[in-house]
Amino acid sequence: MFKDILVSVEVADIDRAVTLYRDGFGMTETYRFPREGAAEHVELKLGASMLGLSSAAGLERHGMPAATRGQPFELAVGCDDVDTDLPRLRSAGFRVVREPYDTAAGNRTAYLEDTDGNRVAIYSRLAR
């Protein structure tokens, strides 16, 4: 079953965006991938809310094209098991853009689009 939502915004300059959101809103950085070197994805927390910031390099690593105008963000929804939960979304009318796969960051992920072409990712943490 689905359990949380992470809105991930694709940005041109991830370091500038992290500084803007962190300092502007008083957000706390909770996750960075990769841990060393140029960031591809950073997650920030404010209260119970989480915001992800992703770079073009991060999208490329996931085999996704760069964001285009009208598709500047993705909705990332955490779930218990991507493979089990994906059929429900497919039946509901989501178009699967990328079938489930294991990411280098330790997640099982699939990409979908809603009927307006908005990008939605579902993910579950892989057992370590």
Side-chain angles (χ1 to χ4, degrees):
M1 212 60 209
F2 302 106
K3 57 186 178 181
D4 60 24
I5 293 178
L6 170 70
V7 175
S8 185
V9 179
E10 291 149 7
V11 297
D13 183 333
I14 197 165
D15 293 326
R16 182 179 65 195
V18 167
T19 299
L20 177 69
Y21 283 92
R22 184 193 61 218
D23 296 351
F25 291 104
M27 300 180 89
T28 302
E29 184 174 318
T30 61
Y31 177 81
R32 177 177 289 260
F33 182 83
R35 292 177 195 226
E36 296 179 10
E40 295 177 11
H41 179 79
V42 175
E43 294 177 9
L44 303 167
K45 184 174 184 176
L46 179 62
S49 300
M50 297 294 294
L51 174 68
L53 301 172
S54 296
S55 69
L59 289 174
E60 188 175 302
R61 179 187 292 274
H62 285 275
M64 297 297 293
T68 59
R69 184 168 170 77
Q71 197 178 55
F73 76 98
E74 81 180 31
L75 183 62
V77 182
C79 62
D80 291 328
D81 185 304
V82 168
D83 296 286
T84 300
D85 293 325
L86 182 60
R88 175 180 172 181
L89 297 172
R90 193 187 312 258
S91 294
F94 282 88
R95 184 173 78 84
V96 178
V97 177
R98 178 122 196 237
E99 294 291 336
Y101 68 103
D102 296 342
T103 73
N107 295 319
R108 180 89 171 141
T109 301
Y111 284 94
L112 308 95
E113 285 182 353
D114 67 15
T115 55
D116 293 308
N118 294 307
R119 190 176 292 157
V120 178
I122 60 171
Y123 68 94
S124 54
R125 303 281 186 215
L126 293 170
R128 295 187 193 262

